[in-house]
Amino acid sequence: VNALLTGINQATPDIIAAKDLIGRYTYANDGVCKVTGLSCDQMLGRTDKELFGDIPFSALIMANDRRVMESGVPETVEEYSPDERRSFLI
C-alpha cells in the first residue's frame, strides 16, 4: 500500500507535502519540487525559512501551517510567492 500511495503522490502534478510540528518538510512530491525548483532531497528536513530565506512569503507559509496544526482544521489558503499566487489546502 505504501508503494501504491507513493506512486500516486509522485504521479500527480498537484503539490503534496508533509511537515512535522516544527515545520520541517518530511515529504515532498515531484509537484512541490517542480514549483520550488529544489530537489526533494534538498527540501527534506528543512523549514520554509531555511529554504527560501527570511522573507514575507516564508513567514506567511509558516504562519498558515502553524494555525492549521494548532487548530487541527484544514483550510484552503492563498499564498503569494514573489512571482505568483496559488491556493493550497493545508
Side-chain angles (χ1 to χ4, degrees), residues 1 7 11 20 23 26 45 56 59 61 65 71 74 78 84:
V1 173
D20 64 16
T26 58
I61 294 170
D65 290 346
S71 72
E78 285 190 349
E84 61 187 301

Side-chain angles (χ1 to χ4, degrees), residues 4-43:
L4 175 63
L5 291 176
T6 299
I8 292 169
N9 285 337
Q10 290 300 345
T12 183
D14 294 328
I15 296 169
I16 300 173
K19 297 178 184 177
D20 64 16
L21 293 175
I22 296 172
R24 294 178 297 222
Y25 284 88
T26 58
Y27 176 81
N29 75 344
D30 290 341
V32 174
C33 299
K34 189 176 207 176
V35 167
T36 62
L38 301 169
S39 75
C40 293
D41 287 339
Q42 288 174 305
M43 296 188 72

Side-chain angles (χ1 to χ4, degrees), residues 27-89:
Y27 176 81
N29 75 344
D30 290 341
V32 174
C33 299
K34 189 176 207 176
V35 167
T36 62
L38 301 169
S39 75
C40 293
D41 287 339
Q42 288 174 305
M43 296 188 72
L44 296 180
R46 293 180 177 85
T47 66
D48 293 299
K49 183 177 178 181
E50 292 170 324
L51 292 170
F52 308 117
D54 193 12
I55 58 173
F57 179 60
S58 299
L60 173 65
I61 294 170
M62 294 174 74
N64 288 338
D65 290 346
R66 176 64 51 206
R67 188 177 59 253
V68 169
M69 284 188 268
E70 289 174 357
S71 72
V73 178
E75 298 179 20
T76 299
V77 299
E78 285 190 349
E79 294 175 343
Y80 302 85
S81 69
D83 56 347
E84 61 187 301
R85 179 178 70 190
R86 294 180 179 266
S87 294
F88 297 95
L89 175 64

